[in-house]
Amino acid sequence: MKKAYIVGTGHSVPEKILTNKDLESMVDTSDEWIITRTGIKERHVSTPGEASSDFALEACRSAMEAAGWAPGDVDCVLVGTITPDYPCPATACILASRLGLENVPAYDFAAGCSGFLYGLIQAKAFIESGFFERILVVGVEMLTKITNWTDRNTCVLFGDGAGAAAVSSTGPGGELGGWHWGADGSLGDLLLMRAGGSRMPASEESVRQNLHTIYMEGREVFRYAVRAMRDSCLKALEKDGTPKSEVDLLISHQANTRIIDATARALELRPEQVFVNIHKYGNTSAASIPIALDEAVREGLVVPPKNIVLAAFGAGLTWAGILIKWRE
Ligand code: UT7
């Protein structure tokens, strides 16, 4: 049976940095509260005019360079995002054109913070079934464009960025192993953007009421996140037939260090087996795992053989986990 391998990674973030101290002058919050409750110290924020495809482009170029791919090598582009350049057309199409790809299928999907893992699982299915040989999987988000800067419950959390993986039918690299994914739309109201869709199209009133920004019931989402991330990891390992004692590294969605710690405890990992970069980027939604994965690769933490568990949770509600088996 065919297998799918990550053979290159890349990421890109905006230059501008917003610190917790900066936020202290914007809402009633403190550096101390943000660090102790979330682990975030600063985040990268895009400027007016900058959009998702700008950073996705750089992330893909890095991933393609690492993989040794030319534009003609790519068969398909999958983009997980809830902050596309435009509601229509898909950012994946814009991205494919900017990368110089000709006539390859390209589409977006909205799986919130689980977007990148949803993309990897789709890529695995496409490659193992022989549909495609080489796929670009992207997680990109400009969450600060849909942030309510007067809501301290959410505005301290988010950051912008993009990450990408080149996934191939030919190794060596990170083999996409056992996986688990799911969704529960009955809980969608816990984390949503109310206006701008067909239910409530943009109007003067919707803008006045700040309804084009993210609303989140943080405490409730936290409870579900802990359970769903733990279950996703354990089910992915079970499907692979790999015991948790053989996991070398956890790279989870970076939403809150307390959620990451709970997931690490479920896998019985030591602190040095858990990759954390939330202090630098905040919660970048679909981009957080590919940014962290690329940093881990470039910092030399992915020297094979390594078994790496990726775990995500986000709006939908959605969740996913996958085991990556990195081999020579
Ligand atoms: O990425 C996709 C999924 N998202 C997540 O996984 C996020 C999950 N949720 C969380 O990470 C956490 O729930 C938050 C970081 C959002 C909030 O942390 P928390 O420990 O759950 O705080 P809380 O919402 O229970 O609020 C505790 C207190 C409240 O004050 P009272 O009612 O106890 O007086 C809040 O008003 O902290 C207050 N608070 C703040 N204080 C200072 C809330 N936000 C802030 C703030 N600065 N920015």
Side-chain angles (χ1 to χ4, degrees):
M1 182 171 142
K2 287 194 173 213
K3 290 182 176 175
Y5 304 86
I6 295 177
V7 294
T9 57
H11 82 272
S12 170
V13 295
E15 264 176 40
K16 189 179 168 198
I17 289 174
L18 186 71
T19 65
N20 291 350
K21 277 269 172 255
D22 296 330
L23 283 159
E24 284 180 355
S25 63
M26 296 162 67
V27 285
D28 180 15
T29 191
S30 67
D31 179 43
E32 200 253 333
W33 190 96
I34 302 170
I35 290 177
T36 53
R37 303 310 294 166
T38 71
I40 301 166
K41 292 183 178 160
E42 59 187 34
R43 66 288 289 144
H44 291 248
V45 297
S46 51
T47 53
E50 286 181 325
S52 286
S53 72
D54 301 335
F55 300 95
L57 181 66
E58 294 311 316
C60 284
R61 283 184 175 147
S62 296
M64 288 171 68
E65 191 184 333
W69 289 3
D73 295 328
V74 179
D75 297 328
C76 177
V77 181
L78 305 177
V79 175
T81 187
I82 55 164
T83 50
D85 287 19
Y86 308 101
C88 172
T91 296
C93 299
I94 297 167
L95 178 62
S97 160
R98 295 180 72 182
L99 283 166
L101 314 186
E102 284 178 16
N103 303 327
V104 302
Y107 62 91
D108 295 355
F109 45 92
C113 308
S114 307
F116 180 71
L117 294 200
Y118 266 51
L120 281 187
I121 293 167
Q122 292 175 75
K124 174 179 165 71
F126 277 141
I127 287 174
E128 289 182 354
S129 62
F131 252 72
F132 299 122
E133 300 291 330
R134 286 168 297 270
I135 301 177
L136 278 175
V137 179
V138 181
V140 58
E141 223 73 87
M142 299 287 111
L143 283 187
T144 68
K145 304 276 187 179
I146 57 167
T147 294
N148 180 351
W149 293 104
T150 65
D151 177 13
R152 72 173 183 173
N153 292 296
T154 53
C155 76
V156 302
L157 304 174
F158 304 132
D160 298 334
V167 183
S168 171
S169 59
T170 315
E175 182 196 327
L176 303 184
W179 81 100
H180 175 76
W181 58 348
D184 184 351
S186 71
L187 300 169
D189 285 354
L190 295 178
L191 175 46
L192 83 165
M193 187 170 117
R194 295 181 198 281
S198 57
R199 182 73 61 198
M200 195 186 295
S203 66
E204 279 183 32
E205 183 60 14
S206 67
V207 173
R208 200 179 56 73
Q209 289 188 31
N210 237 336
L211 299 178
H212 298 269
T213 55
I214 290 191
Y215 167 83
M216 179 169 73
E217 292 187 25
R219 210 175 302 181
E220 276 296 288
V221 172
F222 187 100
R223 281 197 317 118
Y224 285 107
V226 168
R227 197 180 328 143
M229 300 247 290
R230 176 197 64 205
D231 290 353
S232 295
C233 292
L234 296 177
K235 286 178 180 170
L237 287 170
E238 191 184 335
K239 185 169 276 182
D240 197 80
T242 298
K244 61 185 173 186
S245 57
E246 289 182 16
V247 173
D248 298 301
L249 186 64
L250 169 69
I251 301 181
S252 86
H253 172 45
Q254 309 280 307
N256 190 316
T257 39
R258 290 179 290 144
I259 300 175
I260 299 170
D261 289 347
T263 312
R265 273 197 303 277
L267 292 174
E268 295 173 30
L269 296 175
R270 299 185 301 280
E272 63 272 22
Q273 294 178 296
V274 183
F275 191 85
V276 178
N277 65 4
I278 190 172
H279 51 287
K280 293 192 287 182
Y281 302 115
N283 179 348
T284 59
S285 184
S288 88
I289 291 177
I291 291 174
L293 178 62
D294 186 47
E295 284 200 339
V297 168
R298 288 173 200 271
E299 287 173 20
L301 301 176
V302 185
V303 179
K306 282 275 185 305
N307 288 332
I308 302 174
V309 168
L310 310 182
F313 178 84
L317 300 176
T318 58
W319 54 85
I322 188 164
L323 175 66
I324 315 284
K325 296 181 277 189
W326 232 286
R327 301 288 182 268
E328 289 285 4

